[in-house]
PDB file of all heavy atoms in Angstrom:
ATOM      1  N   THR A  43      55.207  21.586 186.111  1.00 86.00           N
ATOM      2  CA  THR A  43      55.181  22.621 187.141  1.00 86.00           C
ATOM      3  C   THR A  43      56.609  23.038 187.444  1.00 86.00           C
ATOM      4  O   THR A  43      57.435  22.205 187.823  1.00 86.00           O
ATOM      5  CB  THR A  43      54.522  22.113 188.437  1.00 86.00           C
ATOM      6  OG1 THR A  43      53.200  21.647 188.138  1.00 86.00           O
ATOM      7  CG2 THR A  43      54.447  23.222 189.472  1.00 86.00           C
ATOM      8  N   THR A  49      53.556  28.807 193.494  1.00 51.00           N
ATOM      9  CA  THR A  49      52.146  29.201 193.516  1.00 51.00           C
ATOM     10  C   THR A  49      51.452  28.953 192.190  1.00 51.00           C
ATOM     11  O   THR A  49      50.253  29.176 192.060  1.00 51.00           O
ATOM     12  CB  THR A  49      52.015  30.693 193.868  1.00 51.00           C
ATOM     13  OG1 THR A  49      52.685  31.471 192.869  1.00 51.00           O
ATOM     14  CG2 THR A  49      52.657  30.985 195.225  1.00 51.00           C
ATOM     15  N   GLN A  66      70.871  28.743 180.795  1.00 93.00           N
ATOM     16  CA  GLN A  66      69.656  28.827 181.607  1.00 93.00           C
ATOM     17  C   GLN A  66      69.283  27.450 182.119  1.00 93.00           C
ATOM     18  O   GLN A  66      69.581  26.441 181.473  1.00 93.00           O
ATOM     19  CB  GLN A  66      68.490  29.405 180.791  1.00 93.00           C
ATOM     20  CG  GLN A  66      68.569  30.910 180.615  1.00 93.00           C
ATOM     21  CD  GLN A  66      67.436  31.441 179.758  1.00 93.00           C
ATOM     22  OE1 GLN A  66      67.631  31.686 178.570  1.00 93.00           O
ATOM     23  NE2 GLN A  66      66.278  31.610 180.336  1.00 93.00           N
ATOM     24  N   TYR A  68      65.960  25.280 183.861  1.00 92.00           N
ATOM     25  CA  TYR A  68      64.565  25.167 184.291  1.00 92.00           C
ATOM     26  C   TYR A  68      64.416  23.828 185.005  1.00 92.00           C
ATOM     27  O   TYR A  68      64.865  22.787 184.495  1.00 92.00           O
ATOM     28  CB  TYR A  68      63.613  25.217 183.098  1.00 92.00           C
ATOM     29  CG  TYR A  68      63.494  26.590 182.465  1.00 92.00           C
ATOM     30  CD1 TYR A  68      64.318  26.963 181.399  1.00 92.00           C
ATOM     31  CD2 TYR A  68      62.553  27.510 182.912  1.00 92.00           C
ATOM     32  CE1 TYR A  68      64.214  28.210 180.814  1.00 92.00           C
ATOM     33  CE2 TYR A  68      62.430  28.758 182.329  1.00 92.00           C
ATOM     34  CZ  TYR A  68      63.268  29.106 181.282  1.00 92.00           C
ATOM     35  OH  TYR A  68      63.160  30.352 180.708  1.00 92.00           O
ATOM     36  N   GLU A  74      57.653  11.999 188.446  1.00 89.00           N
ATOM     37  CA  GLU A  74      57.835  10.741 189.163  1.00 89.00           C
ATOM     38  C   GLU A  74      58.444   9.622 188.320  1.00 89.00           C
ATOM     39  O   GLU A  74      58.599   8.499 188.788  1.00 89.00           O
ATOM     40  CB  GLU A  74      56.487  10.283 189.735  1.00 89.00           C
ATOM     41  CG  GLU A  74      55.912  11.287 190.731  1.00 89.00           C
ATOM     42  CD  GLU A  74      54.571  10.856 191.279  1.00 89.00           C
ATOM     43  OE1 GLU A  74      54.033   9.843 190.783  1.00 89.00           O
ATOM     44  OE2 GLU A  74      54.063  11.534 192.195  1.00 89.00           O
ATOM     45  N   SER A  86      58.841  25.824 167.119  1.00 96.00           N
ATOM     46  CA  SER A  86      58.558  27.116 167.743  1.00 96.00           C
ATOM     47  C   SER A  86      59.640  28.163 167.499  1.00 96.00           C
ATOM     48  O   SER A  86      59.404  29.354 167.735  1.00 96.00           O
ATOM     49  CB  SER A  86      58.365  26.931 169.254  1.00 96.00           C
ATOM     50  OG  SER A  86      59.518  26.352 169.844  1.00 96.00           O
ATOM     51  N   ASP A  99      64.298   6.275 172.694  1.00 97.00           N
ATOM     52  CA  ASP A  99      63.612   7.547 172.952  1.00 97.00           C
ATOM     53  C   ASP A  99      62.948   8.070 171.676  1.00 97.00           C
ATOM     54  O   ASP A  99      61.803   8.532 171.699  1.00 97.00           O
ATOM     55  CB  ASP A  99      64.603   8.590 173.466  1.00 97.00           C
ATOM     56  CG  ASP A  99      65.098   8.314 174.875  1.00 97.00           C
ATOM     57  OD1 ASP A  99      64.445   7.523 175.583  1.00 97.00           O
ATOM     58  OD2 ASP A  99      66.135   8.881 175.251  1.00 97.00           O
ATOM     59  N   PRO A 159      47.260  11.155 156.892  1.00 96.00           N
ATOM     60  CA  PRO A 159      48.116  10.397 155.971  1.00 96.00           C
ATOM     61  C   PRO A 159      49.269  11.211 155.396  1.00 96.00           C
ATOM     62  O   PRO A 159      50.344  10.664 155.134  1.00 96.00           O
ATOM     63  CB  PRO A 159      47.139   9.959 154.877  1.00 96.00           C
ATOM     64  CG  PRO A 159      45.821   9.903 155.552  1.00 96.00           C
ATOM     65  CD  PRO A 159      45.834  11.022 156.552  1.00 96.00           C
ATOM     66  N   ILE A 161      50.978  13.466 156.978  1.00 96.00           N
ATOM     67  CA  ILE A 161      52.014  13.490 158.011  1.00 96.00           C
ATOM     68  C   ILE A 161      52.774  12.167 158.017  1.00 96.00           C
ATOM     69  O   ILE A 161      54.007  12.128 158.109  1.00 96.00           O
ATOM     70  CB  ILE A 161      51.401  13.763 159.391  1.00 96.00           C
ATOM     71  CG1 ILE A 161      50.743  15.148 159.428  1.00 96.00           C
ATOM     72  CG2 ILE A 161      52.462  13.655 160.481  1.00 96.00           C
ATOM     73  CD1 ILE A 161      51.696  16.296 159.252  1.00 96.00           C
ATOM     74  N   VAL A 172      70.522  15.115 149.540  1.00 94.00           N
ATOM     75  CA  VAL A 172      70.970  16.507 149.702  1.00 94.00           C
ATOM     76  C   VAL A 172      71.037  16.866 151.186  1.00 94.00           C
ATOM     77  O   VAL A 172      72.024  17.460 151.658  1.00 94.00           O
ATOM     78  CB  VAL A 172      70.019  17.474 148.961  1.00 94.00           C
ATOM     79  CG1 VAL A 172      70.374  18.926 149.288  1.00 94.00           C
ATOM     80  CG2 VAL A 172      70.080  17.237 147.461  1.00 94.00           C
ATOM     81  N   SER A 232      49.624  11.412 148.703  1.00 96.00           N
ATOM     82  CA  SER A 232      50.986  11.513 149.248  1.00 96.00           C
ATOM     83  C   SER A 232      51.437  10.180 149.826  1.00 96.00           C
ATOM     84  O   SER A 232      52.535   9.690 149.529  1.00 96.00           O
ATOM     85  CB  SER A 232      51.047  12.597 150.337  1.00 96.00           C
ATOM     86  OG  SER A 232      50.775  13.870 149.818  1.00 96.00           O
ATOM     87  N   ALA A 242      58.248  -0.415 144.616  1.00 91.00           N
ATOM     88  CA  ALA A 242      59.012  -0.515 143.367  1.00 91.00           C
ATOM     89  C   ALA A 242      60.430  -1.022 143.598  1.00 91.00           C
ATOM     90  O   ALA A 242      61.062  -1.532 142.672  1.00 91.00           O
ATOM     91  CB  ALA A 242      59.050   0.844 142.675  1.00 91.00           C
ATOM     92  N   LEU A 251      52.647  -2.172 139.334  1.00 91.00           N
ATOM     93  CA  LEU A 251      51.709  -1.242 139.973  1.00 91.00           C
ATOM     94  C   LEU A 251      51.908   0.179 139.446  1.00 91.00           C
ATOM     95  O   LEU A 251      50.935   0.900 139.188  1.00 91.00           O
ATOM     96  CB  LEU A 251      51.882  -1.263 141.490  1.00 91.00           C
ATOM     97  CG  LEU A 251      51.376  -2.487 142.240  1.00 91.00           C
ATOM     98  CD1 LEU A 251      51.745  -2.400 143.715  1.00 91.00           C
ATOM     99  CD2 LEU A 251      49.858  -2.613 142.092  1.00 91.00           C
TER     100      LEU A 251
END
Side-chain angles (χ1 to χ4, degrees):
T43 303
T49 61
Q66 283 178 261
Y68 288 92
E74 299 179 353
S86 58
D99 289 342
I161 297 296
V172 172
S232 296
L251 287 175

